[in-house]
Amino acid sequence: MENLILDLKKILAIYKPLEQKTHKGSQGHALIIGGSYGKIGSIVLASKACLRSGCGLVTALIPKCGYDVLQTALPEAMVLTDDNERCISNIEFEIEPKAIAIGMGMGQEMLTQKAFHQFLKTNNKPLLIDADGINILARNKNLLELLPEKTILTPHKKELERLIGSWKSEEEKLKLIGTLAKKFSLIFVIKGAPTHIFDGENLYKNTTGNPALATAGSGDSLSGIITSFLAQGYKPLEASLFGVYLHGLTADIAISATGYESFIASDISENLGKAFLSLNK
Ligand SMILES: NC(=O)C1=CN([C@@H]2O[C@H](COP(=O)(O)OP(=O)(O)OC[C@H]3O[C@@H](n4cnc5c(N)ncnc54)[C@H](OP(=O)(O)O)[C@@H]3O)[C@@H](O)[C@H]2O)[C@@H](O)CC1
Ligand SMILES: Nc1ncnc2c1ncn2[C@@H]1O[C@H](COP(=O)(O)OP(=O)(O)O)[C@@H](O)[C@H]1O
Ligand SMILES: [Mg+2]
C-alpha cells in the first residue's frame, strides 16, 4: 500500500479545463437517485453541487413528494418521480446518463431495498453509492458482487462500520477496506478529518477542508461533486480525488466570510466557482 498526498500539484495533473467548443451534451448527464419524505434536501444539495461542478445536465429521480420542492429549488435540474409518494420503490429511467449517484436521503424501507437490488442487477453505468445506499449494502452484502468495476463508495465513519464491522486500529480498518476494495474493485472515499481515498493499493490523504464541513448535507454535496466529474468523463479514482479536494477547498475559501459555525452545506456549491478559479492562479 502506498501513502500519497492529495494536494494542488496532484489536482492540477488531473483537472481538465473546459474546451471552447463544448456544449451541455458533451459536458455529461448525471442521474442522482434518492430522497425520501423529509429528506429531499439531500438531493437538492447533491444536484446543485453536481451542476456547479461542471456537468452539462442533471436529472434527479426522487419520490413524488419531492417534485415541487426540486423543480422550485433547482430549476436547472430535470426531475423524474417514482410512483411512490414518500420513498423510492422502483428505479426506471429512459435517459442515458454518463454517471449515476444513489443513496442520499433514500431511507431503507423494504420497498427501497428491493428497488435498489433490482437497479444493481441491470446497471452498468459508472456509479457512486452514498448514505442509505451504503447502509443497504451493509445489510445485504450479496449485492456487492453486482457493483460495476470501480464503483465509488463514500461512507462516513458510522456507515463504514456498518459495512465492514468495527476495528481496533487504523491499520485494521484499512486492511478490512482493502480486502473489500480489491475483491469487488471498489474505490472508498473514507470521509473524515481529513478524508482519505483508498482503492486497496494507494491511500491518498486530502489536504483541504476544515470543521466547518461538520454540517448536515456536506456529504450529500460531495456525492454530487464527484458524480459530476464521473459524468464529465474523469476516471472514478480521479473523480474521487478531484471531488474530495475541491469540496474541502470550498470550506477553506468560505470560512473567512462564514466562520466555522455559520457555514452550511449550501455554501459548498456557492463557493465551487471560487474553488475552480483558485486552481488557475
Ligand atoms: N437535508 C437532508 O435531507 C439531509 C439528509 N441526510 C440524509 O440522512 C440520512 C442519514 O444520514 P446521517 O449521516 O445523518 O445518519 P446515519 O448514517 O444514520 O448516522 C447517524 C449517526 O452516525 C454518526 N455520524 C453521522 N455523520 C457522521 C460523520 N460525518 N462522521 C462520523 N460519524 C457520523 C453519528 O453517530 P454518533 O457520533 O452520534 O454516535 C450519528 O448519530 C442519509 O441518507 C443522508 O443522506 C443527511 O445528509 C443530512 C441532511
Ligand atoms: N471536522 C471535519 N473536518 C473536515 N471535514 C469534515 C469534518 N467533519 C465532517 N467533514 C466532512 O463533511 C462531510 C460529512 O459527510 P456526511 O456525514 O455524509 O454528511 P451528510 O450526510 O450530512 O451530507 C464529509 O465529507 C466529511 O469529510
Ligand atoms: Mg452522508
Side-chain angles (χ1 to χ4, degrees):
M1 179 182 88
E2 213 179 330
N3 285 297
L4 300 156
I5 283 289
L6 178 53
D7 57 7
L8 179 59
K9 185 163 169 277
K10 180 69 190 158
I11 292 307
L12 292 176
I14 292 174
Y15 175 37
K16 295 180 285 237
L18 269 56
E19 318 244 324
Q20 280 305 315
K21 294 205 177 334
T22 190
H23 58 82
K24 65 176 177 297
S26 45
Q27 279 307 114
H29 189 169
L31 174 62
I32 312 263
I33 305 172
S36 56
Y37 188 84
K39 295 189 174 168
I40 298 299
S42 63
I43 302 300
V44 174
L45 290 163
S47 303
K48 189 168 198 175
C50 192
L51 279 165
R52 282 205 181 273
S53 297
C55 76
L57 296 156
V58 166
T59 296
L61 171 51
I62 51 171
K64 261 207 194 99
C65 63
Y67 181 71
D68 292 344
V69 173
L70 209 76
Q71 292 272 243
T72 308
L74 188 62
E76 294 90 348
M78 295 174 284
V79 183
L80 295 172
T81 50
D82 189 299
D83 288 345
N84 190 291
E85 187 60 35
R86 295 174 66 87
C87 71
I88 293 290
S89 66
N90 177 31
I91 299 171
E92 276 180 5
F93 46 88
E94 301 296 315
I95 58 169
E96 278 293 331
K98 280 291 286 290
I100 299 176
I102 187 164
M104 297 72 69
M106 195 165 75
Q108 298 169 52
E109 295 283 336
M110 201 36 81
L111 264 179
T112 305
Q113 292 197 38
K114 288 198 170 74
F116 183 59
H117 187 171
Q118 208 45 44
F119 162 72
L120 290 180
K121 275 194 209 157
T122 54
N123 174 62
N124 57 14
K125 303 283 184 191
L127 185 62
L128 178 144
I129 304 177
D130 184 25
D132 288 308
I134 296 173
N135 294 328
I136 295 172
L137 289 179
R139 294 166 69 167
N140 305 274
K141 296 223 179 28
N142 54 308
L143 298 180
L144 286 166
E145 64 200 19
L146 299 175
L147 302 182
E149 286 266 311
K150 299 298 174 197
T151 291
I152 301 165
L153 302 185
T154 61
H156 60 55
K157 185 170 170 287
K158 213 65 163 217
E159 290 156 345
L160 182 63
E161 209 169 353
R162 292 180 191 128
L163 185 66
I164 66 171
S166 57
W167 56 84
K168 292 184 190 59
S169 68
E170 274 307 286
E171 203 183 345
E172 186 192 354
K173 177 182 91 173
L174 290 171
K175 198 162 169 307
L176 289 167
I177 297 172
T179 309
L180 222 47
K182 285 183 199 145
K183 185 172 176 191
F184 297 106
S185 174
L186 302 172
I187 293 172
F188 278 83
V189 173
I190 312 166
K191 295 187 293 196
T195 290
H196 290 81
I197 294 98
F198 189 37
D199 62 1
E201 302 292 329
N202 297 310
L203 179 68
Y204 294 84
K205 182 179 180 182
N206 187 31
T207 56
T208 63
N210 63 64
L213 286 165
T215 184
S218 55
D220 302 323
S221 305
L222 174 63
S223 295
I225 297 170
I226 296 173
T227 307
S228 186
F229 293 134
L230 272 183
Q232 294 175 59
Y234 285 87
K235 292 193 183 65
L237 180 61
E238 291 176 343
S240 302
L241 296 172
F242 194 10
V244 164
Y245 184 88
L246 220 59
H247 174 260
L249 190 56
T250 66
D252 294 340
I253 291 168
I255 51 167
S256 56
T258 63
Y260 289 102
E261 291 83 355
S262 298
F263 180 90
I264 58 174
S266 306
D267 294 317
I268 295 166
S269 287
E270 296 312 305
N271 284 277
L272 274 166
K274 286 184 185 148
F276 277 108
L277 291 171
S278 77
L279 301 181
N280 298 322
K281 282 210 173 69

